[in-house]
Short mmCIF file of all heavy atoms in Angstrom, two decimals:
data_model
loop_
_atom_site.label_atom_id
_atom_site.label_comp_id
_atom_site.label_asym_id
_atom_site.label_seq_id
_atom_site.Cartn_x
_atom_site.Cartn_y
_atom_site.Cartn_z
N VAL A 103 51.88 48.96 -31.92
CA VAL A 103 51.62 47.61 -32.45
C VAL A 103 52.04 47.59 -33.91
O VAL A 103 51.82 48.55 -34.65
CB VAL A 103 50.14 47.27 -32.33
CG1 VAL A 103 49.81 45.95 -33.01
CG2 VAL A 103 49.71 47.20 -30.85
N ARG A 104 52.67 46.50 -34.31
CA ARG A 104 52.99 46.34 -35.72
C ARG A 104 51.89 45.51 -36.36
O ARG A 104 51.60 44.40 -35.90
CB ARG A 104 54.33 45.64 -35.89
CG ARG A 104 54.76 45.60 -37.36
CD ARG A 104 55.70 44.46 -37.64
NE ARG A 104 57.07 44.72 -37.19
CZ ARG A 104 58.00 45.28 -37.96
NH1 ARG A 104 57.73 45.60 -39.20
NH2 ARG A 104 59.21 45.46 -37.50
N CYS A 105 51.27 46.08 -37.38
CA CYS A 105 50.21 45.34 -38.07
C CYS A 105 50.81 44.18 -38.85
O CYS A 105 51.74 44.38 -39.65
CB CYS A 105 49.46 46.30 -39.00
SG CYS A 105 48.34 45.42 -40.12
N PRO A 106 50.31 42.95 -38.63
CA PRO A 106 50.88 41.83 -39.35
C PRO A 106 50.65 41.89 -40.87
O PRO A 106 51.43 41.35 -41.63
CB PRO A 106 50.18 40.61 -38.74
CG PRO A 106 48.96 41.13 -38.06
CD PRO A 106 49.24 42.56 -37.70
N VAL A 107 49.57 42.60 -41.27
CA VAL A 107 49.20 42.60 -42.70
C VAL A 107 50.09 43.56 -43.49
O VAL A 107 50.65 43.20 -44.52
CB VAL A 107 47.71 42.94 -42.85
CG1 VAL A 107 47.34 43.03 -44.34
CG2 VAL A 107 46.85 41.90 -42.16
N CYS A 108 50.20 44.83 -43.01
CA CYS A 108 50.94 45.83 -43.81
C CYS A 108 52.33 46.08 -43.22
O CYS A 108 53.13 46.80 -43.82
CB CYS A 108 50.17 47.13 -43.89
SG CYS A 108 49.94 47.97 -42.32
N ALA A 109 52.60 45.53 -42.03
CA ALA A 109 53.91 45.67 -41.37
C ALA A 109 54.19 47.10 -40.92
O ALA A 109 55.33 47.40 -40.56
CB ALA A 109 55.04 45.11 -42.24
N ASP A 110 53.18 47.98 -40.92
CA ASP A 110 53.35 49.31 -40.35
C ASP A 110 53.16 49.26 -38.83
O ASP A 110 52.37 48.44 -38.34
CB ASP A 110 52.29 50.30 -40.90
CG ASP A 110 52.67 50.83 -42.27
OD1 ASP A 110 53.83 50.65 -42.69
OD2 ASP A 110 51.79 51.43 -42.92
N GLU A 111 53.80 50.17 -38.13
CA GLU A 111 53.57 50.31 -36.69
C GLU A 111 52.62 51.46 -36.46
O GLU A 111 52.69 52.50 -37.13
CB GLU A 111 54.88 50.62 -35.98
CG GLU A 111 55.56 49.37 -35.47
CD GLU A 111 56.64 49.71 -34.46
OE1 GLU A 111 56.48 50.67 -33.70
OE2 GLU A 111 57.68 49.00 -34.48
N PHE A 112 51.76 51.31 -35.47
CA PHE A 112 50.89 52.42 -35.12
C PHE A 112 50.49 52.33 -33.67
O PHE A 112 50.62 51.28 -33.04
CB PHE A 112 49.64 52.43 -36.04
CG PHE A 112 48.74 51.24 -35.90
CD1 PHE A 112 47.64 51.27 -35.07
CD2 PHE A 112 49.01 50.07 -36.63
CE1 PHE A 112 46.80 50.18 -34.95
CE2 PHE A 112 48.17 48.96 -36.52
CZ PHE A 112 47.07 49.03 -35.67
N GLY A 113 50.04 53.47 -33.10
CA GLY A 113 49.58 53.48 -31.70
C GLY A 113 48.18 52.89 -31.64
O GLY A 113 47.28 53.32 -32.35
N PRO A 115 44.52 52.29 -30.97
CA PRO A 115 43.52 53.25 -30.54
C PRO A 115 42.90 52.88 -29.17
O PRO A 115 42.67 51.70 -28.90
CB PRO A 115 42.45 53.18 -31.64
CG PRO A 115 42.78 52.01 -32.48
CD PRO A 115 44.19 51.59 -32.20
N ILE A 152 39.44 46.57 -35.09
CA ILE A 152 40.03 47.89 -35.23
C ILE A 152 40.48 47.98 -36.68
O ILE A 152 41.07 46.99 -37.18
CB ILE A 152 41.27 48.01 -34.29
CG1 ILE A 152 40.85 47.92 -32.82
CG2 ILE A 152 42.07 49.25 -34.56
CD1 ILE A 152 40.08 49.10 -32.30
N GLN A 153 40.26 49.10 -37.34
CA GLN A 153 40.80 49.19 -38.71
C GLN A 153 42.23 49.67 -38.59
O GLN A 153 42.54 50.64 -37.91
CB GLN A 153 39.99 50.19 -39.54
CG GLN A 153 40.55 50.27 -40.94
CD GLN A 153 39.74 51.12 -41.90
OE1 GLN A 153 38.62 51.50 -41.60
NE2 GLN A 153 40.30 51.41 -43.07
N CYS A 154 43.13 48.97 -39.29
CA CYS A 154 44.53 49.40 -39.29
C CYS A 154 44.63 50.71 -40.07
O CYS A 154 44.15 50.81 -41.18
CB CYS A 154 45.41 48.33 -39.96
SG CYS A 154 47.09 48.91 -40.25
N PRO A 155 45.27 51.73 -39.46
CA PRO A 155 45.39 53.02 -40.19
C PRO A 155 46.39 52.97 -41.33
O PRO A 155 46.45 53.90 -42.14
CB PRO A 155 45.88 53.98 -39.07
CG PRO A 155 46.52 53.12 -38.05
CD PRO A 155 45.81 51.79 -38.10
N ASN A 156 47.18 51.91 -41.44
CA ASN A 156 48.17 51.72 -42.50
C ASN A 156 48.86 53.05 -42.82
O ASN A 156 48.70 53.61 -43.92
CB ASN A 156 47.48 51.14 -43.75
CG ASN A 156 48.41 50.88 -44.91
OD1 ASN A 156 48.03 50.93 -46.08
ND2 ASN A 156 49.69 50.57 -44.64
N PRO A 157 49.63 53.58 -41.86
CA PRO A 157 50.22 54.92 -42.03
C PRO A 157 50.96 55.14 -43.35
O PRO A 157 50.94 56.23 -43.90
CB PRO A 157 51.19 55.03 -40.85
CG PRO A 157 50.66 54.10 -39.85
CD PRO A 157 50.00 52.96 -40.59
N ALA A 158 51.53 54.08 -43.90
CA ALA A 158 52.25 54.25 -45.16
C ALA A 158 51.28 54.34 -46.33
O ALA A 158 51.66 54.73 -47.44
CB ALA A 158 53.23 53.08 -45.37
N GLY A 159 50.02 53.98 -46.09
CA GLY A 159 49.00 54.12 -47.14
C GLY A 159 49.30 53.31 -48.39
O GLY A 159 48.97 53.70 -49.51
N ASP A 160 49.90 52.14 -48.22
CA ASP A 160 50.38 51.40 -49.38
C ASP A 160 49.70 50.04 -49.59
O ASP A 160 50.19 49.21 -50.35
CB ASP A 160 51.88 51.20 -49.28
CG ASP A 160 52.26 50.49 -48.00
OD1 ASP A 160 51.37 50.22 -47.16
OD2 ASP A 160 53.47 50.21 -47.80
N MET A 161 48.57 49.81 -48.92
CA MET A 161 47.97 48.48 -49.06
C MET A 161 46.77 48.44 -50.02
O MET A 161 46.28 47.37 -50.35
CB MET A 161 47.56 47.90 -47.70
CG MET A 161 48.73 47.35 -46.91
SD MET A 161 49.76 46.17 -47.83
CE MET A 161 48.87 44.64 -47.59
N GLY A 162 46.25 49.58 -50.39
CA GLY A 162 45.13 49.56 -51.32
C GLY A 162 43.80 49.29 -50.65
O GLY A 162 42.89 50.10 -50.73
N ALA A 163 43.68 48.19 -49.95
CA ALA A 163 42.39 47.83 -49.34
C ALA A 163 42.47 48.01 -47.81
O ALA A 163 43.53 47.82 -47.21
CB ALA A 163 42.08 46.38 -49.66
N PRO A 164 41.35 48.41 -47.20
CA PRO A 164 41.34 48.51 -45.74
C PRO A 164 41.48 47.12 -45.13
O PRO A 164 41.04 46.13 -45.72
CB PRO A 164 39.96 49.10 -45.40
CG PRO A 164 39.11 48.86 -46.61
CD PRO A 164 40.03 48.75 -47.77
N HIS A 165 42.12 47.06 -43.98
CA HIS A 165 42.22 45.75 -43.31
C HIS A 165 42.04 45.96 -41.80
O HIS A 165 42.26 47.03 -41.28
CB HIS A 165 43.51 45.02 -43.64
CG HIS A 165 44.73 45.83 -43.48
ND1 HIS A 165 45.22 46.69 -44.43
CD2 HIS A 165 45.61 45.92 -42.45
CE1 HIS A 165 46.31 47.28 -44.02
NE2 HIS A 165 46.58 46.84 -42.81
N TYR A 166 41.60 44.88 -41.15
CA TYR A 166 41.11 44.99 -39.77
C TYR A 166 41.83 43.97 -38.89
O TYR A 166 42.16 42.87 -39.32
CB TYR A 166 39.62 44.71 -39.75
CG TYR A 166 38.85 45.64 -40.65
CD1 TYR A 166 38.63 45.33 -42.00
CD2 TYR A 166 38.33 46.86 -40.19
CE1 TYR A 166 37.97 46.19 -42.86
CE2 TYR A 166 37.66 47.73 -41.02
CZ TYR A 166 37.48 47.39 -42.36
OH TYR A 166 36.83 48.23 -43.20
N LEU A 167 42.05 44.37 -37.64
CA LEU A 167 42.63 43.45 -36.67
C LEU A 167 41.62 43.24 -35.54
O LEU A 167 40.84 44.15 -35.25
CB LEU A 167 43.91 44.02 -36.07
CG LEU A 167 45.06 44.24 -37.09
CD1 LEU A 167 46.24 44.93 -36.43
CD2 LEU A 167 45.49 42.91 -37.68
N MET A 279 57.51 45.50 -54.26
CA MET A 279 56.39 46.00 -53.46
C MET A 279 55.19 45.06 -53.49
O MET A 279 54.06 45.51 -53.22
CB MET A 279 56.00 47.42 -53.88
CG MET A 279 57.06 48.46 -53.61
SD MET A 279 57.61 48.50 -51.89
CE MET A 279 56.22 49.36 -51.15
N ARG A 281 52.28 43.16 -52.51
CA ARG A 281 51.55 43.28 -51.26
C ARG A 281 51.35 41.93 -50.58
O ARG A 281 51.20 41.84 -49.37
CB ARG A 281 50.19 43.90 -51.52
CG ARG A 281 50.29 45.39 -51.80
CD ARG A 281 48.96 45.94 -52.29
NE ARG A 281 49.08 47.34 -52.60
CZ ARG A 281 48.27 48.00 -53.42
NH1 ARG A 281 47.28 47.35 -53.99
NH2 ARG A 281 48.44 49.26 -53.65
N ARG A 284 54.12 41.14 -48.15
CA ARG A 284 54.41 42.21 -47.17
C ARG A 284 54.59 41.65 -45.77
O ARG A 284 55.37 42.11 -44.97
CB ARG A 284 53.25 43.22 -47.19
CG ARG A 284 53.51 44.49 -46.39
CD ARG A 284 54.62 45.30 -47.00
NE ARG A 284 54.43 45.50 -48.41
CZ ARG A 284 53.67 46.48 -48.94
NH1 ARG A 284 53.06 47.34 -48.17
NH2 ARG A 284 53.54 46.60 -50.24
N LEU A 287 57.93 41.21 -43.90
CA LEU A 287 58.66 42.29 -43.22
C LEU A 287 58.48 42.21 -41.71
O LEU A 287 59.33 42.66 -40.96
CB LEU A 287 58.18 43.66 -43.71
CG LEU A 287 58.44 44.01 -45.17
CD1 LEU A 287 57.80 45.34 -45.52
CD2 LEU A 287 59.94 44.07 -45.42
#
Side-chain angles (χ1 to χ4, degrees):
V103 172
R104 186 205 282 269
C105 169
V107 177
C108 65
D110 279 348
E111 267 195 35
F112 64 94
I152 295 291
Q153 181 175 348
C154 170
N156 182 210
D160 56 356
M161 281 310 274
H165 50 276
Y166 304 88
L167 297 175
M279 294 305 283
R281 287 171 182 157
R284 189 66 50 85
L287 295 175

